Amino acid sequence: MELFGRGFRPFFLLASAHAVVFVPIWLCVVLGWIAPPKWLWLTVWHAHEMIFGFCAAAIAGFLLTAVPNWTGTTAIAGRRLAVLAGLWLAGRVMMAFAGHVPWFAAAVDLSFLPMFALAIGPAIYRAGVRHNFGFPVGILALAAANALMHAEALGVSTGTAAIGVRAGVDLVALLVVVIGGRVTPAFTNNALRRSGI
């Protein structure tokens, strides 16, 4: 089983690894055992990594696997998938040093979501199934929320980080509800059929 054969493999692995690594780091920062990153303030950094780190990886893993099934197209795999996973990982690494190289960290972190939207968008729009059109738009809106957070961190704006956090949480919740609204009935229907109901 090749790691970069299907989208869920690297991204679900990365999301899991992020949770395993990030929680102990967060506890050590809160307890004062290690210095926090010099990026905005502590709770916003935590929120950023939960939304644009953990959640973004989980969403990417699902959509990169589901979109080929929805559209009848070939799944993104191999080098293209490795580049996407590398962009996500580079963003996580750079966020640890965002206080030292803020512009470079922002550029790296902000690159993943637009590239992800570009990866799934063409197949969705070519397939012409309108109820799927919102997914690339939702990913780009998530990228915009991320940009609002970086804008305040870079001193370009004031008060936008909190807006970015709230927008990010709302967009993740919306994506979960829409995806859950598709997956849950399908899984329930399959389980009922297997039970002879």
Side-chain angles (χ1 to χ4, degrees):
M1 179 171 55
E2 186 187 350
L3 177 61
F4 297 108
R6 292 302 294 259
F8 71 90
R9 291 176 187 161
F11 279 103
F12 286 178
L13 180 64
L14 287 169
S16 301
H18 185 272
V20 168
V21 171
F22 190 79
V23 170
I25 290 173
W26 170 250
L27 289 173
C28 289
V29 168
V30 169
L31 293 171
W33 296 346
I34 60 174
K38 299 182 187 307
W39 189 82
L40 290 174
W41 52 98
L42 192 55
T43 53
V44 172
W45 169 70
H46 179 273
H48 180 275
E49 287 308 290
M50 291 297 93
I51 298 165
F52 304 106
F54 176 79
C55 291
I59 291 165
F62 177 83
L63 288 178
L64 287 167
T65 305
V67 166
N69 294 330
W70 296 342
T71 60
T73 56
T74 304
I76 292 168
R79 185 176 296 169
R80 290 179 67 200
L81 182 55
V83 167
L84 274 177
L87 282 175
W88 179 91
L89 189 58
R92 308 291 53 80
V93 171
M94 290 312 304
M95 284 306 297
F97 302 100
H100 303 289
V101 284
W103 286 93
F104 184 62
V108 172
D109 184 55
L110 288 169
S111 66
F112 170 68
L113 288 170
M115 291 301 291
F116 169 43
L118 188 61
I120 64 170
I124 287 175
Y125 293 122
R126 275 196 305 270
V129 181
R130 294 192 175 194
H131 67 259
N132 291 332
F133 286 6
F135 286 106
V137 175
I139 300 304
L140 290 174
L142 204 55
N146 193 12
L148 287 173
M149 298 186 74
H150 280 289
E152 183 164 350
L154 295 170
V156 174
S157 64
T158 56
T160 57
I163 296 169
V165 169
R166 286 193 297 274
V169 170
D170 289 345
L171 287 162
V172 167
L174 178 63
L175 286 167
V176 168
V177 167
V178 172
I179 291 168
R182 301 240 185 121
V183 173
T184 303
F187 286 174
T188 304
N189 188 41
N190 291 340
L192 291 172
R193 282 184 181 172
R194 279 196 303 272
S195 300
I197 300 171

